[in-house]
Amino acid sequence: MSALWTSAEIETATGGVVSGPFAATGVAFDSREVGPGDLFIALKGETTDGHRFVDGAFEQGAAGAIVSRPVAHPHVQVADTTAALDALGVAARARTAAKIAGVTGSVGKTGTKEALSAALARGKSGAVHRSVKSYNNHTGVPLSLSRMAAGSAFGVFEMGMNHAGELAALTRLVRPHVALITTIAAAHIEFFDSIEAIADAKGEIFQGLEPGGTAIIPFDSPHRDRLFGHAKPYAANILTFGIEDGADVRPLEAIPNGNGTMVTVRLPEAELSFTLSQPGAHWVSNALAVLAAVDALGGDLAAAGLALADFEGLAGRGAHHRIRVGDGNALLIDESYNANPTSMAATLEVLGNTEAARRIAVLGAMRELGPASATLHAGLAEPVLAAGVDCALLVGSGMEPLAEALEGKVECAHWPNASSAGEALQKLIRPGDAILIKGSNAIGLGRIVTTLTGRQN
């Protein structure tokens, strides 16, 4: 494998001092993720210091390290390793001619990022770089940039925030040619005065657009005009996507088809028909956003349609599993990674449209909702009932308002933690059931998925 970074390039990018020549084929700051040939960046955090793990990183095959004090291994010494990570990301972005997309939103940004990457890769196999997992914060974004090969044709980067000003900094690192906002919702509203303030913070993504760049905005959003206002000073072009007439990218038809949807999409200068593999109206919206971005980036739309037809659900974000139950099986919908009121309602709708003997919803508390938490949790009663849920297992203290709202309306049990809910669920499942598992990641519902599927997710 050719070198991603030489020690000389790292020295130039960071302004550090190299101990001796080496070449790295990858980059990591989590010592548990270091593999042969990687560059290990020893970050100093609030609770730990990456320098403690330098020896372990080299035992796992690291080729070199970025450190702020000398170590007995090949390294580049800098004054501040966090600043060096930013500098490496900036250098990676500067040396590539790739077309870059930045993706943010309150709901759907990781799935849209992954689907956009797959859509571009179908037309440019092996030449598309993307941020992995949810590496979308002040360390994850520069790490993802630093991993991008200079010869990449496209780069797709997820950017997240839970405070104003964070996206402005991240987008200026990424410098996207296309900046996409998926959905505005009440995620992280604990840190904002209103959903309008969340929209303003998401709109910061347009500040980093390259000259001639394109902003992609959800047409159906009540915050559309607000987002237009944020985009206009920075975007040469603005594209909208949505279900309603007037959107630049919209479906002419969207017909549910088993576990997916048959879609015909009209774009500004093309029409495309394909079968979207993922179920639910929210995935139709995601697909429209993906096609808008592919078009704006100059990608292959026909190849993108094929990729969306093959796109599989992500672990924790919609993956479907058939699990053995007695002499039959049950369907498990894994949405265990994250949750807010909008995504809860969307995935409950998917459950409601799923053919099943019984529908079981295992719902974990939603975090970072602030003073509105009780009201927003209680508000999930309507989508739970609309989905025809036969049994609801509610997990965490934040779910008390929903348990009260559902009392007498649906079979419901409230559990303090994921372990007790998981034990109850295993006794409850029968062949033919469809089970949705969704909650904020901190609730730990992923452990239930791991137990039921018998493998790590």
Side-chain angles (χ1 to χ4, degrees), residues 215-220 224 228 238-242 246-250 266 268 288 292:
I216 299 179
I217 290 171
F219 185 83
D220 305 335
R224 178 184 66 210
F228 261 89
I238 299 178
L239 270 178
T240 61
F241 67 94
D248 297 315
V249 181
R250 63 184 178 87
R266 172 167 290 170
L288 298 174

Side-chain angles (χ1 to χ4, degrees), residues 209-282:
L209 274 169
E210 287 287 88
T214 298
I216 299 179
I217 290 171
F219 185 83
D220 305 335
S221 172
H223 311 289
R224 178 184 66 210
D225 293 343
R226 200 177 196 93
L227 296 177
F228 261 89
H230 286 292
K232 283 180 179 178
Y234 305 100
N237 308 290
I238 299 178
L239 270 178
T240 61
F241 67 94
I243 306 298
E244 298 176 8
D245 289 345
D248 297 315
V249 181
R250 63 184 178 87
L252 298 179
E253 61 179 6
I255 304 170
N257 178 26
N259 288 327
T261 307
M262 296 176 62
V263 188
T264 298
V265 177
R266 172 167 290 170
L267 294 100
E269 297 182 4
E271 285 187 12
L272 182 68
S273 295
F274 60 97
T275 298
L276 175 62
S277 63
Q278 298 302 301
H282 63 299

Side-chain angles (χ1 to χ4, degrees), residues 114-421:
E114 291 290 332
L116 176 55
S117 301
L120 293 168
R122 183 60 70 98
K124 280 281 187 181
S125 180
V128 178
H129 176 78
R130 77 189 196 287
S131 50
V132 299
K133 300 182 180 179
S134 290
Y135 281 170
N136 60 21
N137 64 6
H138 65 288
T139 54
V141 168
L143 175 69
S144 298
L145 281 166
S146 72
R147 290 172 165 176
M148 181 170 55
S152 299
F154 295 103
V156 184
F157 296 90
E158 177 181 339
M159 287 177 270
M161 63 89 203
N162 54 20
H163 289 85
E166 292 176 341
L167 267 178
L170 296 178
T171 191
R172 290 188 174 103
L173 288 176
V174 174
R175 291 169 37 217
H177 298 94
V178 170
L180 162 64
I181 295 177
T182 57
T183 302
I184 304 297
H188 310 301
I189 198 165
E190 177 181 356
F191 306 114
F192 294 90
D193 295 331
S194 63
I195 294 183
E196 289 76 15
I198 293 175
D200 291 338
K202 294 295 185 185
E204 294 172 12
I205 192 174
F206 304 128
Q207 295 178 22
L209 274 169
E210 287 287 88
T214 298
I216 299 179
I217 290 171
F219 185 83
D220 305 335
S221 172
H223 311 289
R224 178 184 66 210
D225 293 343
R226 200 177 196 93
L227 296 177
F228 261 89
H230 286 292
K232 283 180 179 178
Y234 305 100
N237 308 290
I238 299 178
L239 270 178
T240 61
F241 67 94
I243 306 298
E244 298 176 8
D245 289 345
D248 297 315
V249 181
R250 63 184 178 87
L252 298 179
E253 61 179 6
I255 304 170
N257 178 26
N259 288 327
T261 307
M262 296 176 62
V263 188
T264 298
V265 177
R266 172 167 290 170
L267 294 100
E269 297 182 4
E271 285 187 12
L272 182 68
S273 295
F274 60 97
T275 298
L276 175 62
S277 63
Q278 298 302 301
H282 63 299
W283 260 108
V284 173
S285 179
N286 290 348
L288 298 174
V290 166
L291 293 174
V294 170
D295 197 30
L297 290 165
D300 186 328
L301 284 170
L306 294 173
L308 290 170
D310 292 339
F311 187 72
E312 296 183 354
L314 307 175
R317 294 184 172 90
H320 284 48
H321 304 280
R322 286 286 171 184
I323 58 174
R324 193 73 180 167
V325 182
D327 295 330
N329 59 64
L331 173 66
L332 175 64
I333 303 171
D334 175 16
E335 286 274 0
S336 59
Y337 187 80
N338 211 344
N340 58 55
T342 300
S343 65
M344 279 282 200
T347 50
L348 281 163
E349 182 180 356
V350 170
L351 178 64
N353 291 329
T354 300
E355 296 271 345
R358 295 185 306 168
R359 298 184 183 93
I360 300 171
V362 183
L363 306 178
M366 302 176 289
R367 296 294 181 87
E368 298 183 350
L369 296 182
S373 179
T375 300
L376 292 171
H377 279 88
L380 294 178
E382 182 177 344
V384 167
L385 296 172
V389 170
D390 297 285
C391 181
L393 300 183
L394 310 180
V395 187
S397 60
M399 275 295 178
E400 290 174 0
L402 179 57
E404 293 173 4
L406 292 175
E407 187 174 357
K409 299 176 182 177
V410 66
E411 183 182 343
C412 180
H414 185 208
W415 299 94
N417 53 56
S419 297
S420 54

Side-chain angles (χ1 to χ4, degrees), residues 418-452:
S419 297
S420 54
E423 292 172 4
L425 178 62
Q426 290 190 63
K427 296 174 183 177
L428 179 67
I429 300 173
R430 298 199 300 250
D433 288 345
I435 306 114
L436 168 66
I437 298 182
K438 186 167 181 65
S440 289
N441 192 42
I443 303 301
L445 299 187
R447 294 193 295 273
I448 299 177
V449 176
T450 298
T451 298
L452 292 176

Side-chain angles (χ1 to χ4, degrees), residues 101-120:
V103 180
T104 195
S106 304
V107 180
K109 57 182 175 292
T110 299
T112 299
K113 177 259 298 182
E114 291 290 332
L116 176 55
S117 301
L120 293 168

